[in-house]
Amino acid sequence: DAGITQSPRHKVTETGTPVTLRCHQTENHRYMYWYRQDPGHGLRLIHYSYGVKDTDKGEVSDGYSVSRSKTEDFLLTLESATSSQTSVYFCAISESFRAEGYTFGSGTRLTVV
Amino acid sequence: AQSVTQLDSQVPVFEEAPVELRCNYSSSVSVYLFWYVQYPNQGLQLLLKYLSGSTLVKGINGFEAEFNKSQTSFHLRKPSVHISDTAEYFCAVWNTGNQFYFGTGTSLTVIP
């Protein structure tokens, strides 16, 4: 996972609290993505970014917001965490909007109690 | 919407035996096909990909996959597995709508 770092790696939070996950890249790639991974569902796209301040929704965006103020950082925020958002969250980056260039981070395991 | 079906959620296999992990997708329109591997507590790593050309694709760690357009399949194979191949494997499809669709994963366990 060279060039892409997710923080924190693990987090336990209470229902109703805000949570922010961070994805940091050193590759200067234009595209960044947030996925969630759940048993029986594979990976599902939450939001993605195609440049600084340019973001769009994915398949499961409800309850999540994102921000990208710098090329290297893509933040995922759960405004008010719910138990259904307990999941493993993966960030990915790509140089172009083509599938072949995806690099994934190591993931953040979030538990909402 | 595109769907990706991995027919086996768990595959146990003895060390040095061959293995096939099956993947079918829903649409026959122009697609790119991928297999990713996820080792415990790690992110996904690209094993191999089919973009065009030869339907038999070779990837890392001795894996290969064959694209079958008529059967909309992209099965992953390895002639002889090792303990280190124990991992979760994901099939993924990228279509002309510029979005990745992932299967639900197949857990491969190699038994000594």
Side-chain angles (χ1 to χ4, degrees):
Chain A
D1 298 335
I4 178 170
T5 306
Q6 291 185 232
S7 59
R9 292 296 310 274
H10 302 272
K11 186 170 182 65
V12 179
T13 192
E14 293 185 350
T15 299
T17 60
V19 177
T20 295
L21 310 183
R22 180 180 183 235
C23 178
H24 178 78
Q25 60 144 331
T26 58
E27 304 296 320
N28 201 35
H29 284 348
R30 178 180 176 187
Y31 297 90
M32 300 185 76
Y33 313 83
W34 276 108
Y35 285 86
R36 61 178 288 173
Q37 182 182 28
D38 304 289
H41 290 278
L43 273 77
R44 294 179 291 175
L45 182 65
I46 305 171
H47 282 279
Y48 67 96
S49 170
Y50 46 97
V52 174
K53 294 194 168 104
D54 292 323
T55 65
D56 206 349
K57 297 179 179 180
E59 178 187 2
V60 290
S61 60
D62 288 348
Y64 302 94
S65 62
V66 290
S67 65
R68 192 168 178 200
S69 58
K70 300 183 291 185
T71 298
E72 57 266 35
D73 289 326
F74 191 33
L75 304 181
L76 176 70
T77 297
L78 289 65
E79 301 290 346
S80 177
T82 67
S83 58
S84 65
Q85 294 176 311
T86 292
S87 185
V88 180
Y89 292 86
F90 286 99
C91 178
I93 61 174
S94 65
E95 192 169 11
S96 64
F97 202 45
R98 291 180 65 183
E100 59 199 87
Y102 276 45
T103 300
F104 284 84
S106 298
T108 294
R109 183 174 296 276
L110 177 68
T111 303
V112 183
V113 297
Chain B
Q2 184 73 262
S3 69
V4 181
T5 303
Q6 291 184 240
L7 297 163
D8 306 294
S9 59
Q10 296 183 344
V11 174
V13 62
F14 286 104
E15 192 174 16
E16 298 184 4
V19 69
E20 178 180 80
L21 306 183
R22 297 178 292 168
C23 174
N24 287 88
Y25 60 96
S26 62
S27 173
S28 60
V29 298
S30 181
V31 294
Y32 299 157
L33 299 161
F34 302 79
W35 277 98
Y36 283 86
V37 60
Q38 183 182 27
Y39 298 104
N41 299 313
Q42 294 187 26
L44 278 69
Q45 300 174 28
L46 181 64
L47 262 183
L48 50 78
K49 60 189 176 187
Y50 170 80
L51 305 180
S52 65
S54 173
T55 58
L56 183 62
V57 180
K58 294 189 183 298
I60 62 172
N61 300 339
F63 283 93
E64 63 181 30
E66 185 158 18
F67 169 54
N68 188 318
K69 187 175 182 179
S70 62
Q71 297 186 6
T72 60
S73 68
F74 191 56
H75 300 334
L76 181 70
R77 303 184 182 100
K78 187 170 183 178
S80 175
V81 295
H82 302 287
I83 295 292
S84 60
D85 292 325
T86 293
E88 189 88 13
Y89 292 80
F90 291 93
C91 180
V93 173
W94 174 272
N95 64 14
T96 52
N98 289 328
Q99 185 168 344
F100 248 134
Y101 294 89
F102 285 87
T104 53
T106 296
S107 177
L108 174 65
T109 301
V110 180
I111 305 163

